[in-house]
Each structure stands twice: as structure tokens, then as C-alpha cells.
Amino acid sequence: MFRVHKWRCSCALERKAIRRAPHRSLRREQTLQFKPVRHSILLENKDNVLQPTGSYPSSPAPITLRLNVDNDSHPSSSLAASSDSVLESSANTTVYNGWLFNNKAAGILDLSTRKKYSHLLSVATSKLPLYDIRASNGRNPNLRKNTKLIEPCLTARQAAIEASRRRPRLESARDEELEQTVTVLLQQPGQGYSKIVDDDSWQQKLRSQHSHLSYMLQLQQQLQTQIQLRKQHLGRSISLQKIVKAELNMESEQKKDIEQQLIYQIGIMDDWVQCRNLHEVFSATDHLRGPVVAALLKRLAVLLASPKDRMGMSPAEGREFLIFTRTLADAAVPVVSELTAQHVGWVMYSLACLEMTESQELVQDLLHHSGELLIQQLELLSGAAAAGRRELEISSDVQIAGTAGSRRRSGSLKAGSNGGSPSGQGAPEALFVASDYASIMWGLGTLKQRPSPAWLDALCSCCVSRLDVFQASQLWGVLWGFARLGHVPQKVWMERWLMCAERIFREFDIEGLCHVIWSLGALRYVPEKVWLRACIGQVQSKYRSLFPQQMTQLLEGLAAIGYKPREEVCMSLQAQSRRQLHAFSAEQQAVSLRAMAMHSKWQPQRQFLYDFVTHSQPKLNSMTAFQLSSVIWSFACFKYLPDGSYTQSLVNLLTARLEESGSHSGPCLSQAVWAIATLGLKPSYRFLQVWSLKSRQSLHKFTPQCLSHTLWSMARLYNRMEDAKENIKLSRAARKSKPDVQLLEGLLLRCSQELSSFSGMEITTVISSLADLQYRPSDEWLISYVQETERRLPTLQNQDYGLTIASLSTLAAPLDARWLQVFVKEAGRKWWSMDLDGMALLLHGLAQYNFCPDSREWWAGFWQESEARWEKRGSEAAGQRTLAVLSLSLGDLLTTAPSKVWQRNLRRAIRLSFPKPRTSADIPVMLMQAAGRDEDEPISEVPWLKTFFAELATDWRFPMVLH
């Protein structure tokens, strides 16, 4: 019997009226044109037989056919040719019932062979309505350039669809019962599939898979026949007593056989509809067990791994696909216990690829079942370890006993232990392999389904000994899963992982390296610098392959672990980012810029910032409030102020985003106001009101860092000091506004709750900001603050001591002599870390409390370190305010004069910093104004201070000297 093997046809291409090379001729006879001229179909044969099978063997002799048909006629009516049609033949061509044979291409040389092919054609054309008529233009760019596609007319298109849009998959001979079954399944689908088909593409796709559904039904019948034949053979071959036991063995073998056949069929499927056909046909039987369902899910993940593949579906196909995936997930729940570790990895990987986040029940069952498998794996590993220890003890005894005994015992050891397995059957079988660990962890990380810490620790214990066989993608997949779940593995596991990764760094692609850096940053695990340099070295060698998403991950991970690469690496990363700024999304632009700003030593070039402003301006409208605040915060960290229009639009959009949402995160609000205060912008009254309102609503989300930054920014914005360098030039509305008292009270309440979590710098910033705002908290709050500060005194650095005592004195905080003594003792140990500003503030605070340290070592350290500052920086060591505060505070504290050299350095710095007053009597007034003291506040009357003013007047060459 003749069978159709393969045929295809495509829309004809009409040649454009342009010149083209002779060797680029268009073979028009191999295409099908849906115009009223002709149709042309290409058939391939093998051994004079055309077969519609699932596999497509190569055909050495293609036949080219042409068919003339009218515009309104049905193609299938002309295709069904009778056997007694007129045959016209020649040496090169054969015309049969309107078909034109190319005898040269078919290898036809004589008339008898042509007659044989004519009979073959009459049989083949009767089967053509079962197969697809495909329309596509050529893929040759020259062909596409020199030709144009003729759109098919409506009648011809409908005729082609009616001729069945199907690919040959089965043998053409099918009985009537099978045809009726296929028709019923297509018209009345089960398993909750929708009967509504609302677009042509989905209807065409269903028809194209008609033959595959028939093949699945045939396969089911064949499997049932095999089972019956085996049972009959079993009954004839053995006695009745052994039938029951043999049937059980046979059933288990048959199930494995059928599972293997079904899994093989699933592996060669090229469309998800074929997976649905198999599930539809075999769902009523008991063959659709756990491994088969896992294989179906895995095949779906392979076929549609990328979201872009699913986005190309039509609406009807998308709904049907969603229903099918949910059906598969429901079918997998009862058979979870049948899954092996490999199948668990398949299912978890597939759920993540297909983004089936609603399958919570299936994920929980998988976690429970995999937990049992992990326990079995741990038992096997512990048994192997115990056997290994016993073998080591026996071998040591053998060495002590002697050579003869050694031979006997070693022989018995080899016969009994057999590789350290408790059962004596070899090494323990590994339930999990490297790909299983990677698939499970990657799937859990993608789905964000966090198991219990005990489950994660058990997985770490199982895979720690197998990390050396992991591939590069499996290594980063496991670590990435832990990072997404927020679980930090044990130190032993991390050290072994780093060692295995360092050994195969060259095998990592750029995506894997970026995932590794990001995961380490998410886990807050900082490896050694040698390891980081090796990893970043691999990144530098492949940085040209970085895409926006990978660049964002890399920069974010480096910022989280606090590592700044070498300068040349930073320049390379900035150059690659600058080249792709146009391709960055709004979120990626904000995240990458904020990651650079988080490292204080990473300063991008001005050209990079300028290009960032240019490419980010069109995308500002799509940014969220946090992203907008991150952008302006990054500019403040870089000390870069963009042009006025960009900055104004950035602040306006930020204000609008804050108004739209009800609540915001603490970092979003704190970094926004901090950036505005740092850059010296002019905030509008509307921004201040909106920001205050949203801050009051989100106080519970403020961290200690957010609290300190917010108070500092408020002090900077609402500062009442007259120094032009310290004040921000606000708008008129902003100048009339005052700090929000309700917000300040809420911030102080939140500070009292988080005082134990503040760092030394943050706790100092809080009290200094309150002093600048001239807002005094309650005595209870100040007492609790003083107690916490006493506990944190050893952690203070630089100017923290001076700011703390000066701010407490400004707020009139109640301090006793004991606390002051402890404070002075700790501050005396940190003279080396202070500059003259911090020293002056420290002396000013002590003078306000009228507390003079009586330790000579304390004062000796002060004189020594301050003289070192004079010698190192000279007149640039301090400003006017620092010099004035230092002079007046020493006059309030000391009754004995400092050394002559020290006084001479101080007078020289004053003369270089201050303008010469009109008279010598204006010198004390000038210093009082610079120190910020009131005019009616008395000056110390100690003799050495008067002498100091007189010598200062002499240095300025005034005619009279103060007494």
C-alpha cells in the first residue's frame, strides 16, 4: 500500500521589478500560490513509497507538482484524481490530471517509470486532505529582498484550512472507530478543558495536532494489547500455584515498561498540545503515575522555559495552557510519594520555569517528601562514615599485628566491607545527585517557598560532600537558591563551596559570576580578598558580555559585601554600563546607580553621570518613589548636582509619588530628605508637608540609620543659625515653616525604642540634630539616652565625643560628676582620632558643665595632639568658630596658662583667620560672636586670658594694650 511520507507547500513569492544576479534565480515551481493561477506541492519519496510517519527519512528524489485551479474552486476537489486520468509525458516532464512532474528531479527516465509514478500519485492525492498546507516565505535574505509575498485570497485561505492544517505523524490507514474517537475528543475535551475556541491560530493548532492525538490512541491500544498478550502467555507457561506471584512481578515490570515508553514519547514532543494529548488519553488509565507526570512538567518547562515563549500564545491558547498546567499540578499531588529525588528536582524546576506560584499544596507535599528522602540520604552517609571509621580502626590493628595477620584480616575486610557499605553491597547509593540539588534549590528560590531551617540544614549536610562534582551552573544555582530564601548555610559548607567554585572559575560564564556575587551580597557573606580578586578578575575578562540585568546584579552584590574592585576594573564596568544605559530599564538604572553610591570610594566619572541624566530623564515617569529617592540620594553621595530642570522634575515626581501611595519604607523617606539637604536644594512647602505626613504614617518602618539621617536632615533644613555657610537657602514658604512637632515626638519615641540598636555615629547624630533644632526632649528621654551613651562610649570615634557633650550641654541634660568623669576618661584615650573641631567642642561642653579634668595625663595628651594639628596643617587646622570656642573654653576651664608655644600658634591662627578689628577692645567681642555666645554672657577673668588678648592686640600692632 502506498503511504504519504511528507509534503509541504508555501505561498508563492512574486519577483520584484529589480535586477538580480543570474545565480540567484527563484525556483517558483516549488511554491504554492493562493492566486487563481496554480498550486504547486512538493512531495518527497523513498523507495517509491510516500509514508506519513513520525520520523522523516531523507528523500533522494523529490517530485515537483503543479496544479491549475480556479479562484473559487476547492483545492481538495482537484486533488482527488481518478486513476484513469489523462497522462501526457515527454522526456523531461509528465503532465497528469493537471499535475506537472519534473522528471529530472525525480529521476524518471522512461515511460514505464512515469506510469508507475502516476499510479502512485493517484493513491497519494486521495490522502492529501489529512495533511497540512503551510504558507511561508523563503528564509534567504537575497530571496526576501528581491521578492514580495502575495497575500492569499479569502476563498483559497478557507480552502486551505478546510484541507486540514495538520502535519503527518501517523500511518494514513486508520479504522473508522479510531477516527470517530478522535473527533469526539476534539469536540468534547475532558479534564476541564475549555470548549470555546475564539481565534483562528488556536483552531489551526488543534487541527495540526489531530494526527498526534490519533497516534496516542493507537499507542494506548497497543499497550493494552501487550498487557493482554503477556497475561495469556503467563497463563500457558507456568502452573496455577505460581500465577499470583508471577502476575505481581509482571505488573511491576509492565508498569516500568510503560512508564519508559511514555517518558520516551514525552521526550520527543515538540509542542505542549502533544503533552496535553498524552495526558488526555492516559489520564483514565493507571499508567499516568508520578514519573510520567514529572516528565510532562519537565517537557513543558523545556518547551516554554522563557516567558517570551508563553507571551507569543494567542488568548485562547494561553487560557488552555493555564488550565492544563493546573490540571497537571493537581494530578501530581496524589502521586508525590512515588517520585524519586530526580523527579522531585524535575517538578520543582518545572514549577519555577512555568511560574506556577499558585501550586502551594504541591510544593508543600514535595518539601515533605524530599525531607524524607534527605533523611534517608543522611542515614546512608552516616552509615558509610561509620563503616569507614571501622575500616580505619581495623586497618590500624592490622598494621600493629604484623604482616601475616595483615594479609588475613585485609582479605576478610575486603570480602566483608566491600567499599564501606553497611549492607556489604558496595558504596551507598546516592538518592540525590548534583543536578537534583541545583534544581530543587533553584526552584524554591524562584518560587520563594522557604522550607524550615532544619530542611535546609539537612540539604546542606547531604550535598556538602558532593560539591566537588558540581558543575559551574549547579554551584551558583544552589547558592542562589539559599540567597533567595535568606538562609545562610553553615561555615563549613560555605568554605567548601568557595573552594570548589575557585577551582573551576574559568568554567563560569558571565551570568554565573554575576549570580555568585549577588548571592554572596544577599547572604552578607564576605569571602577573603584573594577569592574576590580572582572572581572579579574573571568578570573583567568577560565584562564585554554583561547585559543590563547582569550588570545590575553585579553592582548590587559588590555594594552589599562592601568590596570595591581595582580602579581599572571599575573603569571597565562603568564603560560597559555607559554603553548600555539606553537599554537599562528604570529600575535597573536606579539600582545600579545606588549600588555605586553605596561604596564611598566608588566615584563615577562626570561623563558617566551626565549620560545617566540624559538616558534616565525619559524614564523618570515610570520610576517608583523609592527609585526616585535612590537616584537623588546617589547624586548627593557623588556630590553631583544635575541641571536645574532635571533636578526640579525629579523632586516634583518624588512629591507626586509620595502623595499617591499611603505608606512608604523608612529608607525611601530618609534618603530623599537627606539628599535634598545635602545637595542644598530649595524644597517647596508642598514637599515638606507631604514628606512630614508620610513620615508620620511610616515611623514604624524607620531603622536606626533612617532615624539619625532624618533628624540630621531636618536640622539642616530648619537650621536657624546665621552662618551663611551652614544655612540652606530655602524658599519663602519653607522659611516660614517650622519643624513638625508631631513628627519630632514620633521620631524621639521611635529612637527610645531602638536606642540599643544605634551605632556610635548614629547615637551622636541624633543628639546633635536635636541641639541644632533647639528641641529639648523630656528629662526621662535624656536620662535613658545618657545611660545608653555611657554603655557606647568605647565605640565613639573622631568628633563623636565633642558633639555628644556639646549637644547635651546645649539641651541642658542632667549629668552627674561620675558620668562626666567616665566620659572624660574615655575621651582622653581617643585624642589621636580627634581634630581641632572635636577638641574645641569637647572643651566647650565641659566648660558649660563647669567640669575641669584634674588629670595631668589628660591635659598633656590634649596639648600634644593639638600641637601636632598646628604643625601639620597650620592655619588650615581650624576655622573661625573652632578658634573662638577653643580660646574662650580654655579660659573658662584653666586657671594656669598654657605653654608659650601653644599660645603663639593659637594667636597666629586667629590673626590668619579673622579680619583685623577696629580697636583692641573689639577682640573679645569678635571672638564671642564667632563662638555663638550671647553678648551679655560674661568672659572669664583669668589672668592668662587677659594677657593672651593683650599679646594678640600687640601682634595686630594696636597702639594701646588691654589690661
Side-chain angles (χ1 to χ4, degrees), residues 201-213:
S201 61
W202 173 234
Q203 186 177 12
Q204 294 170 5
K205 192 169 188 177
L206 284 179
R207 290 184 176 180
S208 67
Q209 301 299 332
H210 180 278
S211 57
H212 183 269
L213 181 58

Side-chain angles (χ1 to χ4, degrees), residues 387-416:
R389 287 194 297 270
R390 289 196 300 270
E391 181 180 351
L392 182 62
E393 294 175 358
I394 294 174
S395 61
S396 61
D397 295 339
V398 166
Q399 293 178 1
I400 297 175
T403 305
S406 172
R407 293 176 180 175
R408 290 193 299 271
R409 293 186 181 182
S410 62
S412 62
L413 178 63
K414 291 178 182 179

Side-chain angles (χ1 to χ4, degrees), residues 34 44 75 137 192 335 450 497 525 614 648 723 855 868 884 909:
F34 287 129
E44 294 179 4
N137 60 338
V335 295
R450 193 178 193 279
W497 188 94
Y525 188 90
T614 303
Q648 189 63 35
D723 191 351
S855 173

Side-chain angles (χ1 to χ4, degrees), residues 503-707:
R503 191 180 67 251
I504 58 172
F505 261 153
R506 294 182 180 275
E507 300 179 13
F508 280 84
D509 57 0
I510 190 63
E511 181 184 7
L513 293 171
C514 294
H515 279 302
V516 167
I517 296 296
W518 183 89
S519 303
L520 292 174
L523 294 173
R524 297 298 189 270
Y525 188 90
V526 182
E528 297 180 355
K529 286 189 176 181
V530 177
W531 192 93
L532 285 172
R533 287 174 182 172
C535 183
I536 298 300
Q538 294 297 321
V539 173
Q540 186 185 15
S541 63
K542 306 171 184 177
Y543 79 96
R544 288 280 186 175
S545 303
L546 284 170
F547 290 105
Q549 179 65 28
Q550 299 165 359
M551 179 66 73
T552 304
Q553 285 185 333
L554 177 62
L555 295 176
E556 194 174 7
L558 291 175
I561 61 179
Y563 178 75
K564 178 183 176 295
R566 300 188 306 273
E567 191 64 29
E568 56 269 22
V569 179
C570 293
M571 295 294 292
S572 301
L573 295 179
Q574 289 178 23
Q576 183 67 8
S577 300
R578 182 184 170 189
R579 280 190 290 268
Q580 298 187 0
L581 275 176
H582 64 282
F584 277 66
S585 64
E587 181 182 3
Q588 291 170 350
Q589 287 179 347
V591 171
S592 59
L593 190 67
R594 188 174 190 271
M596 293 182 183
M598 289 179 67
H599 204 290
S600 58
K601 296 182 180 180
W602 196 324
Q603 181 67 31
Q605 295 180 348
R606 292 287 173 171
Q607 189 62 37
F608 173 84
L609 297 175
Y610 177 79
D611 291 346
F612 182 89
V613 171
T614 303
H615 292 289
S616 64
Q617 190 164 9
K619 302 177 182 179
L620 289 180
N621 290 326
S622 59
M623 289 188 182
T624 62
F626 181 78
Q627 293 167 4
L628 290 170
S629 63
S630 298
V631 171
I632 193 172
W633 179 82
S634 303
F635 286 137
C637 293
F638 297 143
K639 299 180 181 178
Y640 175 78
L641 182 61
D643 59 276
S645 60
Y646 178 87
T647 307
Q648 189 63 35
S649 61
L650 188 61
V651 176
N652 293 338
L653 283 173
L654 178 58
T655 307
R657 295 292 184 274
L658 291 177
E659 286 181 330
E660 292 172 0
S661 303
S663 179
H664 297 275
S665 62
C668 173
L669 296 166
S670 63
Q671 69 185 8
V673 70
W674 182 89
I676 290 175
T678 303
L679 291 174
L681 301 178
K682 301 177 181 179
S684 61
Y685 180 73
R686 175 169 167 260
F687 170 80
L688 294 176
Q689 292 298 318
V690 171
W691 176 83
S692 299
L693 176 62
K694 299 303 178 181
S695 298
R696 290 198 303 269
Q697 297 175 356
S698 307
L699 280 175
H700 61 283
K701 301 180 181 179
F702 275 57
T703 61
Q705 185 180 21
C706 297
L707 292 170

Side-chain angles (χ1 to χ4, degrees), residues 3 123 251 267 316 322 377 389 401 517 712 771 776 787 790 831 939:
R3 300 187 180 99
V123 178
E251 287 180 1
L322 182 61
Q377 182 73 25
R389 287 194 297 270
I517 296 296
W712 180 89
R776 187 182 187 278
Q787 293 175 354
E790 182 179 1
W831 284 127
I939 301 178

Side-chain angles (χ1 to χ4, degrees), residues 96 192 303 393 494 502 890 940:
Y96 168 75
L303 294 174
E393 294 175 358
M494 288 298 301
E502 186 177 9
L890 284 174
S940 178

Side-chain angles (χ1 to χ4, degrees), residues 696-859:
R696 290 198 303 269
Q697 297 175 356
S698 307
L699 280 175
H700 61 283
K701 301 180 181 179
F702 275 57
T703 61
Q705 185 180 21
C706 297
L707 292 170
S708 61
H709 284 180
T710 301
L711 287 171
W712 180 89
S713 304
M714 292 178 66
R716 192 75 179 269
L717 289 174
Y718 298 102
N719 202 337
R720 299 299 181 180
M721 298 177 62
E722 296 180 357
D723 191 351
K725 296 181 180 179
E726 297 293 333
N727 285 335
I728 302 296
K729 297 181 179 180
L730 304 175
S731 61
R732 294 182 180 180
R735 284 183 180 277
K736 294 180 181 179
S737 62
K738 295 182 179 180
D740 191 343
V741 178
Q742 296 181 0
L743 178 59
L744 282 175
E745 292 177 354
L747 289 172
L748 291 179
L749 178 61
R750 182 64 179 166
C751 288
S752 62
Q753 298 172 355
E754 300 288 338
L755 269 179
S756 58
S757 303
F758 278 76
S759 64
M761 183 180 65
E762 293 167 355
I763 203 170
T764 303
T765 304
V766 168
I767 198 66
S768 61
S769 301
L770 292 176
D772 290 341
L773 287 170
Q774 298 181 3
Y775 181 83
R776 187 182 187 278
S778 62
D779 290 342
E780 292 78 5
W781 192 93
L782 289 172
I783 291 173
S784 62
Y785 176 85
V786 168
Q787 293 175 354
E788 184 64 27
T789 304
E790 182 179 1
R791 191 174 66 86
R792 297 296 186 87
L793 283 177
T795 63
L796 301 184
Q797 295 290 339
N798 301 333
Q799 299 185 18
D800 294 342
Y801 290 97
L803 285 173
T804 300
I805 191 64
S807 301
L808 288 174
S809 64
T810 302
L811 298 175
L815 300 178
D816 53 5
R818 185 199 62 79
W819 190 92
L820 289 172
Q821 188 65 33
V822 174
F823 179 84
V824 167
K825 184 178 179 180
E826 289 293 337
R829 298 175 180 175
K830 301 293 180 66
W831 284 127
W832 58 270
S833 65
M834 300 183 194
D835 55 7
L836 286 177
D837 295 339
M839 295 178 181
L841 290 175
L842 177 58
L843 295 179
H844 170 73
L846 295 176
Q848 294 298 315
Y849 283 102
N850 197 19
F851 182 84
C852 180
D854 54 358
S855 173
R856 294 183 178 180
E857 296 179 357
W858 193 88
W859 283 107

